Amino acid sequence: MKRRNFLKKASITGIGLAVAPTITSCETTEKKESKKIVADTSKTIVPVVVATWNFKNATKAAWEVLEKGGMAIDAVEQGCRAEEADVKNTTVGKGGSPDRDGNVTLDACIMNKEGNYGAVVCMENIVHPVSVARKVMEETPHVLLAGKGAEQFAVEQGFKRENLLTEASKKAWEKWKITSEYKPIINIENHDTIGMLAIDSKGDISGACTTSGMAYKMAGRVGDSAVIGSGLFIDNTVGGATATGMGEEVLKTVGSFLIVELMRQGRTPQEACEEGVRRIVTSNPNYKNFQVGYVALNKKGEYGCYCIHPGFGISKYQDGKQIYIESSSHIKKKV
Ligand code: SD4
């Protein structure tokens, strides 16, 4: 089959409705209209972008790149930048919650269709770590820069230094300090990290992930989000996966790499995400006290998502339409 035909846009309506497999096995409830999304899965619908959580502005920004025929790598960078600049998101970029000493430290990575990867960890004072990660990928012989070195590189590349601690995040931190006993927080509510996967009209996939990490973490703590294979993994022959939640657990199971490898072996994105979560809950009896959520997208444009606790979901922009999809979860009721 000709590549162009293979990638041809398909209609969401039509014969496929009779077959009625959902485009994903996620619980595909559209929140606003509360209707089931069904599609003809025999055809591929590209371009498409999916992201952790309900990030409307981010998927819109990514879609604006994709609909003009832009590359997936540009789409995921632009999408992640939208969250990094949003001071209301306390888990990403400017306005992100600081560590327990009051310093905002950011982790971000990006991975392209050639399997190249760039990342920064524990970087301060720069609003857009995802763009610095891209510079690491494209302008250096390295893949990962940390701390002061990452910040210095960013400044050399023309990024401006800025205070990332907003009045609101400073106030919240000061409040936390009163009762915290200086203990880093591990809970299921500290979320809103963005992991994003996109396929462009050429059928190529890229991904990015960006976070300020766990709120009030220990100084120097690095989570999964910027670590290749954990918070993100892309293989342009298979698809991609990304993670949100308790980074330590994702790191220990190399979650995103695992999910991509499972898809390579024939699992659907949904099955692969479920297995990724299963690895964590079977090895950690404490799993009720933290959240992990995965999103996966294969090269056919099929996606899946799964998490430990209810409350996780993914945003998607495809075929000019934006939707939010609630994820099914290992634990069925809120604990
Ligand atoms: C981390 N995985 O640093 C990140 C946190 C996160 O939504 O995803 N929050 O562990």
Side-chain angles (χ1 to χ4, degrees):
M1 197 191 304
K2 282 234 170 74
R3 183 174 170 78
R4 189 179 294 168
N5 287 343
F6 174 67
L7 296 172
K8 204 172 61 187
K9 272 188 167 191
S11 162
I12 288 194
T13 55
I15 293 168
L17 285 173
V19 180
T22 52
I23 196 167
T24 169
S25 321
C26 272
E27 281 174 7
T28 49
T29 317
E30 186 178 346
K31 257 207 165 161
K32 258 193 269 150
E33 295 168 30
S34 152
K35 73 178 180 208
K36 291 271 177 198
I37 307 298
V38 289
D40 178 356
T41 51
S42 65
K43 292 178 190 150
T44 298
I45 304 175
V46 293
V48 58
V49 56
V50 288
T52 54
W53 308 107
N54 194 5
F55 290 133
K56 288 201 176 80
N57 292 339
T59 48
K60 183 166 180 283
W63 179 256
E64 280 166 8
V65 174
L66 295 172
E67 73 172 343
K68 288 186 206 123
M71 291 191 301
I73 191 76
D74 294 322
V76 294
E77 182 185 1
Q78 290 309 317
C80 286
R81 283 175 66 96
E83 283 311 308
E84 289 174 341
D86 183 352
V87 291
K88 288 196 254 52
N89 184 336
T90 56
T91 316
V92 180
K94 187 164 179 163
S97 298
D99 65 15
R100 64 185 187 177
D101 299 327
N103 300 310
V104 181
T105 65
L106 305 178
D107 303 337
C109 74
I110 195 159
M111 194 161 182
N112 73 6
K113 62 180 176 169
E114 278 104 21
N116 293 319
Y117 151 84
V120 290
V121 293
C122 224
M123 185 176 72
E124 293 179 53
N125 302 318
I126 306 289
V127 180
H128 291 299
V130 72
S131 295
V132 184
R134 186 163 179 185
K135 291 282 184 197
V136 172
M137 179 174 80
E138 293 176 350
E139 307 292 337
T140 81
H142 307 304
V143 295
L144 175 58
L145 294 181
K148 286 282 163 230
E151 185 180 334
Q152 187 188 323
F153 169 72
V155 171
E156 281 162 16
Q157 290 291 319
F159 293 82
K160 298 253 170 329
R161 281 197 174 93
E162 219 176 288
N163 179 12
L164 304 179
L165 193 67
T166 58
E167 273 312 305
S169 53
K170 188 169 175 218
K171 254 194 196 154
W173 167 64
E174 278 164 352
K175 195 170 161 204
W176 169 81
K177 275 199 299 180
I178 297 167
T179 54
S180 68
E181 296 166 5
Y182 202 53
K183 281 192 184 138
I185 287 185
I186 292 170
N187 66 24
I188 60 170
E189 304 302 340
N190 172 219
H191 57 62
D192 279 2
T193 289
I194 182 164
M196 182 174 262
L197 309 166
I199 301 180
D200 58 32
S201 51
K202 291 201 173 104
D204 292 318
I205 187 166
S206 293
C209 190
T210 180
T211 189
S212 53
M214 295 311 237
Y216 318 130
K217 60 197 175 186
M218 292 173 70
R221 181 266 187 190
V222 172
D224 61 307
S225 300
V227 177
I228 190 167
S230 290
L232 177 75
F233 196 70
I234 297 292
D235 183 321
N236 202 32
T237 64
V238 179
T242 189
T244 181
M246 180 68 166
E248 282 71 6
E249 298 302 315
V250 178
L251 281 163
K252 285 191 284 184
T253 50
V254 201
S256 293
F257 181 73
L258 169 68
I259 289 168
V260 171
E261 290 307 300
L262 289 167
M263 292 196 292
R264 189 194 307 281
Q265 290 160 23
R267 307 268 186 113
T268 64
Q270 183 64 28
E271 289 165 350
C273 288
E274 288 178 16
E275 177 62 18
V277 167
R278 199 186 64 77
R279 293 283 170 102
I280 293 172
V281 301
T282 51
S283 64
N284 191 333
N286 192 33
Y287 70 86
K288 287 190 178 144
N289 294 324
F290 56 82
Q291 172 70 303
V292 169
Y294 286 116
V295 183
L297 179 68
N298 70 17
K299 283 297 297 284
K300 287 192 262 174
E302 296 165 338
Y303 56 89
C305 53
Y306 200 65
C307 57
I308 299 178
H309 292 270
F312 176 55
I314 65 171
S315 32
K316 180 181 75 113
Y317 221 122
Q318 184 177 41
D319 219 15
K321 293 183 207 90
Q322 186 175 56
I323 60 165
Y324 174 73
I325 301 148
E326 277 173 30
S327 172
S328 48
S329 53
H330 179 79
I331 296 169
K332 299 300 170 207
K333 285 196 186 129
K334 279 208 189 247
V335 289

